[in-house]
Amino acid sequence: MLACHERIGSLGGSTSSALSVAPTPAGASTATAEGARTALTTSSGAGGGEAILLAEDNAVNTLIAKRFLRNLGYSSVTHVENGQAAVEAVAAGAFDLVLMDCQMPVMDGLEAAQRIRSLPDDTKRCVPIIALTASALKADVDRCMEAGMDDHLSKPYDCKALASKLARWLHG
C-alpha cells in the first residue's frame, strides 16, 4: 500500500472538473446503484481542484461534511449514499481522496474499501481513503486499516480535524 501513496503524492492534485453528486437538484439526471438514488451535476474545485468522494448515508453527517469541505475551499465533492455506489464512482471517475463512512446500507465502507483496493486501475486502486466512523476503539481502527483504508477520523469531528487529514493526504 505504501507504494500507492508515494505514487499518488508524486502525481499531485487533479485539475480537471469532477462529477458532483447531490440529493436531486433541479434539472439533474439521476443514476441508480442498487436502489441508491443520487443526482449528478458538474462542479469544479476551488480548493486547488482536488476531487473528493464523500460516501455517507446519513443526511445530517453529509450536510456537515459538505459544509466543512466548502469552508475549507473544496467544492469538487461527489456524494454517494452507500459503499456500492462509492466503488462504482471510484471505478468510473478520478478522485484524489475518499471520505468513507464505515456503516452504510447496500455495502459498508470496509467492504467498499476492499473492493476499491482490488480495482484493476492502479491510480483508482491507490486513492487515499479516510474512514469516517463513530467507532474509535483501536480494534475498529485496525479493521479499517486492514480493509485498506489509510486513515481514520472519529465522529463527531470538527472542521480543524478534517482539514488536518485533508492536508496530510492531499498536500502532503
Side-chain angles (χ1 to χ4, degrees), residues 77-143:
V77 178
T78 299
H79 171 245
V80 295
E81 296 180 348
N82 65 63
Q84 179 65 41
V87 173
E88 291 172 4
V90 170
F95 295 98
D96 297 297
L97 183 130
V98 177
L99 295 170
M100 181 83 72
D101 182 27
C102 290
Q103 295 182 356
M104 293 181 287
V106 182
M107 179 188 297
D108 68 29
L110 299 174
E111 184 177 346
Q114 291 171 335
R115 290 193 184 197
I116 289 169
R117 295 302 182 224
S118 67
L119 291 172
D121 183 323
D122 186 46
T123 304
K124 296 172 188 294
R125 181 176 61 245
C126 293
V127 64
I129 303 172
I130 299 173
L132 302 176
T133 179
S135 303
L137 298 174
K138 182 173 176 0
D140 296 322
V141 174
D142 289 345
R143 271 197 302 278

Side-chain angles (χ1 to χ4, degrees), residues 131-136 141 152-158:
L132 302 176
T133 179
S135 303
V141 174
H152 179 272
L153 190 56
S154 296
K155 294 178 185 177
Y157 55 88
D158 60 24

Side-chain angles (χ1 to χ4, degrees), residues 1 10 15-16 34 45 53-54 75 98 105-106 129 142 150 167 169:
M1 228 12 86
S10 69
T15 57
S16 62
E34 294 193 17
L53 176 64
L54 171 63
S75 61
V98 177
V106 182
I129 303 172
D142 289 345
D150 301 290
W169 293 103

